Amino acid sequence: KKLNITLKQQQSKIDSLEEKLKEQTDLNIELEETLDDQVNRSMRNNLIIKNIPEEDQETWDISKNKVGEILESISGVDRNKITEGIERAHRGGKKKADKRRNIYIRFYSWDDAEYYFQKFKSLAMKKHHFNYKIDRQYSKKLTSRRNEAMLERKRLLDSKQIVSGYVDFPAKLLVKKSVNTRYALHAE
C-alpha cells in the first residue's frame, strides 16, 4: 500500500514537471518569435549589395562611396545626397581571395532604403542586366525560410510545374501555373 502511494506521488510530480516543461517550451517559442520580429524590425533600414568588386584595404568610406555610385546609377539621385542618407556601409564576413563580400548598408530612413530597393527591383523586372544584386536584410531565421522558398520556386520552375514565381514577405511563395493565371500562394 505504501509503495502504491509513493508511485502515485512520483507520477503526480512527473505530471507536474511535464506541464511546467510544456509551459516553458511554449514560452521559449513565443520569445523566439518576438525576438525574430524585433530583429527584422531593427533591420528595416538595411539593404545588402552582393557581388561588388572589393579593394584590398576597403574602408567604410570607400564602401559607402561605392554604394552611392551604384544607387545613383539606378535612381538618378545625386550620389552626395545618397551618401548623406547612409548611416554606415561596410563589408561583412571574413575576406576570402575567391569570394566577394557583401556590402551591408544602413540608411537613416526606411523610406530611403525602400526607395532604392524598389528602384533596383523595378529595373531588374524590366530585364536590365546587373552584375550585382540588391536585397533587404532579414534575420537568420527569416533568411533561412526565404531561401527554402526560393529553392522550392527553382524546383517548380525546373520541373515545369509553374511558369513564374517569386517570394513575397515574409517568406510566401507566390506562383503562376500558366501565363493566363494570376499569382497565387503556393500550397506545399
Side-chain angles (χ1 to χ4, degrees):
K1 194 172 190 173
K2 191 173 189 181
L3 185 60
N4 236 357
I5 292 172
T6 305
L7 282 174
K8 285 182 182 179
Q9 289 172 338
Q10 291 303 318
Q11 187 59 49
S12 176
K13 286 180 181 179
I14 290 170
D15 292 345
S16 174
L17 288 171
E18 285 177 345
E19 180 61 32
K20 286 179 182 176
L21 179 60
K22 183 185 179 327
E23 289 172 7
Q24 284 301 307
T25 301
D26 291 346
L27 178 60
N28 281 350
I29 290 168
E30 183 181 334
L31 289 172
E32 282 179 10
E33 288 172 356
T34 300
L35 178 60
D36 192 60
D37 180 61
Q38 290 300 309
V39 168
N40 284 311
R41 287 175 190 269
S42 75
M43 292 180 167
R44 284 181 49 170
N45 296 9
N46 296 11
L47 292 178
I48 302 170
I49 301 182
K50 302 173 181 182
N51 203 31
I52 299 298
E54 183 173 359
E55 297 178 25
D56 285 337
Q57 299 296 320
E58 189 166 312
T59 63
W60 284 22
D61 283 336
I62 293 170
S63 295
K64 191 176 190 177
N65 287 326
K66 285 183 178 187
V67 169
E69 184 179 325
I70 290 165
L71 297 180
E72 180 181 53
S73 74
I74 64 171
S75 69
V77 176
D78 179 68
R79 85 179 61 177
N80 291 325
K81 184 176 188 297
I82 293 169
T83 56
E84 287 172 7
I86 296 174
E87 182 179 330
R88 65 181 175 272
H90 60 86
R91 298 284 179 164
K94 291 188 178 185
K95 191 171 186 174
K96 297 178 184 174
D98 61 336
K99 190 174 181 201
R100 293 177 175 172
R101 295 184 298 165
N102 297 335
I103 299 179
Y104 294 85
I105 308 123
R106 178 153 184 93
F107 291 88
Y108 289 110
S109 158
W110 174 82
D111 290 331
D112 286 349
E114 190 63 14
Y115 174 78
Y116 297 117
F117 177 74
Q118 291 302 331
K119 277 290 192 186
F120 173 79
K121 186 175 165 184
S122 170
L123 290 172
M125 289 181 78
K126 292 177 183 169
K127 306 296 184 208
H128 279 73
H129 177 71
F130 296 102
N131 294 328
Y132 55 87
K133 182 176 192 288
I134 298 177
D135 205 352
R136 294 180 176 115
Q137 186 178 10
Y138 301 107
S139 68
K140 287 181 182 178
K141 183 177 179 180
L142 184 53
T143 298
S144 175
R145 288 179 44 217
R146 291 179 64 81
N147 288 342
E148 287 174 20
M150 290 300 289
L151 286 173
E152 178 65 7
R153 173 186 169 271
K154 182 178 180 347
R155 186 189 69 74
L156 293 169
L157 284 167
D158 290 348
S159 66
K160 308 272 191 248
Q161 294 179 45
I162 63 172
V163 295
S164 182
Y166 67 95
V167 177
D168 198 9
F169 184 82
K172 296 183 280 189
L173 178 55
L174 295 156
V175 298
K176 279 179 93 170
K177 294 193 177 185
S178 72
V179 291
N180 299 323
T181 60
R182 292 178 175 232
Y183 282 97
L185 186 62
H186 176 63
E188 295 181 42

